[in-house]
Amino acid sequence: MIGKLAIVHANWLPCAVSGGGWKSIYTLPDELKPENEIYENALASTSASDFYPTIMRIGNDGVIQVNAMGKSLHNIYFSAVYVVA
């Protein structure tokens, strides 16, 4: 954190997320919860060489979610910069 600005960079391996809809993968500690809900681009893979873009959501409750869009994800990479609550 820098003042009220948080920088989150993540690489979940293995993440074992599958199916459609939003799946919760992590909850941030209270001091890193965003002021507003955030959507960020992410890069996900279904294997060691099959990458495709997806989207992450960080709720103002601190819950980080990903939408696997019907695929079985092996890992996820993403970064976010936002103002904390």
Side-chain angles (χ1 to χ4, degrees), residues 10-58:
N11 174 13
W12 274 278
L13 176 65
C15 65
V17 174
S18 63
W22 291 100
K23 306 290 183 181
S24 297
I25 59 172
Y26 188 77
T27 301
L28 294 168
D30 288 343
E31 62 271 12
L32 292 178
K33 291 180 181 178
E35 189 172 71
N36 298 302
E37 188 172 73
I38 298 166
Y39 291 85
E40 289 289 341
N41 292 320
L43 184 61
S45 72
T46 56
S47 68
S49 61
D50 179 23
F51 290 91
Y52 69 97
T54 189
I55 192 164
M56 304 292 293
R57 175 171 61 194
I58 305 174

Side-chain angles (χ1 to χ4, degrees), residues 1-8 29-33 82-85:
M1 285 186 52
I2 301 171
K4 289 191 66 129
L5 190 65
I7 302 167
V8 176
D30 288 343
E31 62 271 12
L32 292 178
K33 291 180 181 178
Y82 57 88
V83 176
V84 296

